[in-house]
Amino acid sequence: MTRRALLLFAFTAGSLALGLAPARADVLSDAKAAGVLKVGTETEFAPFDYIDGDKHVGFNVDFFDEVGKSLGMKIEWVALPWDGVLPGLESSKFDIVAGPAIITKARMQRYTFSSPIGEGTVTLVKRASDASIQKPTDIAGRSVGGGRGSNQLVQLKELAASVSPPATVREYTGANETQADMAAGRIVASAMSLPNALAAAKRRPDMFAVVLPPFGVKAYFGYIGRKDAASASLMQAVDAQVAAMKTDGRMAKLQQKWFGATTELPASVTDPAS
Amino acid sequence: MTWFLFALMVQAAGTTLLISFVAIAIGLVIGILVCGAMLSPSVVLRGPARLYVSFFRGVPLLVQLLLFYHLLPAIGINISSVAAALVALSLCTAAYQAENLRGGFLSVSRGLLEAAEAVGMERLQRFRRVSVPIAIRLTIPALVNEAIGILHASALISVVGVIELTKTARNFAATTFDPLPFYACAGLLYLGLTYGVLGLGRAAERHLAVRHA
């Protein structure tokens, strides 16, 4: 038993080193045959994916319900911490990531993005009681924060360096920790994408306020698939779904419901600004 | 925090308790086997058992969880979140429990065993009637310690997608943008569960205590 476990580990490590991923024919037809599409996400990301009481809700849940309806399959959600979501996609724990994630050059090199499903330009959130921050450049000389590995943090660092005196940027493991530290007064503002910022301020108007306008380069959210040939048909089907929902107004309805406003979205982002 | 959310937190504490209990139980069975192998005179048994213990005590549980969840699919074994969590927790605690048990057996005094031999007990009799009862009594405090350790370590299993107590608190913190009450509540629930385990351990010790006639 113990030997077998060890052999298994040796074999796993070995095959990983050799890059022997199990071959898959076509992700979409496999999912159709099984009647289930597995979608990976993180559930600490209102308004896209969050837990309301005992229910998993959000923009993503509504969107993928529509995908499931038009492709004739059930949606099975797998919720991981964000650090684990992209590794989970690569180890085939699921076939697409809801997230969503900001479409960036670096990510496009490794993954396939769907058509944009939301605007995610960076916005500052501050304590509602703090009158000293009225516009993004008011962070000069103060401490601000953002989630490690996020596009928002990259943009925030640029903003922090451009003001005089420069702002100090602190990095956190996620939005949860960033908000908690702002509530505790260790930072004066945190960088979030616009929809997340609006959701925070809407949920806790006593605690948080959005600092407008958004800053940095215009960025868009997309869903993420693997970059292999087997995933191509699935990603095309999701893109077709986005296009259909834009045309018949369902997308605008979802945007209104979850973001409180509708935004024009490009059909695709091929050359993101960062 | 509403009563509804509190009820969901309690339910999540139930998940934490159930998974920890199952892991401890499976770990105890494997731990007994590994301990037996380590105490055996045969190198063929001792070698792999030592390797097992050094691997599972040498690699952080968090890394083991990620290995089971993300690496096994590379060789075509795609286990579910709960399975990955249970396998990692059980195999890890088994290594610690094997060592605890081994310590218990090694602490049985030679004098007692010699006395047993002197009154004519066979090898198996000495093992069954002297070594085992004494070793179990000596091991219980360490076993309770390990159970509490696993109860708390189970907070890590959300990295493979199991929604237990800590993850539920995080989810609600993220949804309400109000982390404090949920983390405080999770802390109190862990404290309650820990006291439960301690109580069970004490009951076991009382039950097994040597009664002087």
Side-chain angles (χ1 to χ4, degrees), chain A residues 1-3 6 8-9 11-12 15-16 20-22 42-46 50-54 78-81 84 87-88 91-94 176-177 179-180 192 196 199-200 203-204 208, chain B residues 4-5 8 30 34 48-49 51-52 55-56 67-81 91 158-163 167 170-179 183:
Chain A
M1 162 99 205
T2 49
R3 262 222 168 138
L6 281 163
L8 204 64
F9 263 102
F11 186 46
T12 308
S15 57
L16 209 87
L20 298 174
E42 182 215 30
T43 53
E44 298 173 24
F45 206 56
Y50 60 101
I51 305 296
D52 187 11
D54 55 355
V78 181
L80 296 179
S91 58
S92 296
K93 288 292 169 183
F94 31 80
N176 242 346
E177 289 73 16
Q179 303 315 321
M192 301 176 94
N196 303 114
R203 188 77 192 209
R204 296 288 311 276
F208 299 120
Chain B
F4 178 55
L5 292 186
L8 292 171
I30 301 173
V34 173
L51 254 176
Y52 174 91
F55 178 83
F56 283 99
L67 282 174
F68 280 113
Y69 191 68
H70 291 298
L71 270 190
L72 290 187
I75 52 164
I77 305 173
N78 208 338
I79 56 176
S80 73
S81 296
L91 293 182
S158 65
V159 299
V160 297
V162 181
I163 313 297
K167 177 60 182 167
R170 287 187 59 97
N171 277 341
F172 290 156
T175 301
T176 58
F177 295 94
D178 188 14
Y183 293 154

Side-chain angles (χ1 to χ4, degrees), chain A residues 22-102:
Chain A
R24 299 194 63 172
D26 183 73
V27 171
L28 181 59
S29 37
D30 284 0
K32 275 186 177 164
V36 178
L37 177 66
K38 287 192 179 176
V39 185
T41 198
E42 182 215 30
T43 53
E44 298 173 24
F45 206 56
F48 292 100
D49 267 310
Y50 60 101
I51 305 296
D52 187 11
D54 55 355
K55 281 184 202 70
H56 172 201
V57 296
F59 179 93
N60 292 342
V61 177
D62 285 1
F63 176 82
F64 277 94
D65 277 351
E66 298 287 337
V67 173
K69 254 188 257 166
S70 67
L71 298 178
M73 48 197 179
K74 275 196 191 140
I75 302 297
E76 187 182 318
W77 291 94
V78 181
L80 296 179
W82 182 247
D83 315 16
V85 175
L86 293 177
L89 177 69
E90 294 191 26
S91 58
S92 296
K93 288 292 169 183
F94 31 80
D95 295 315
I96 188 166
V97 166
I102 297 289

Side-chain angles (χ1 to χ4, degrees), chain B residues 187-211:
Chain B
L188 289 173
L189 287 170
Y190 276 115
L191 198 62
L193 292 177
T194 305
Y195 272 112
V197 174
L198 278 175
L200 276 179
R202 267 195 219 113
E205 280 184 53
R206 263 201 308 277
H207 181 72
L208 292 172
V210 181
R211 287 178 193 82

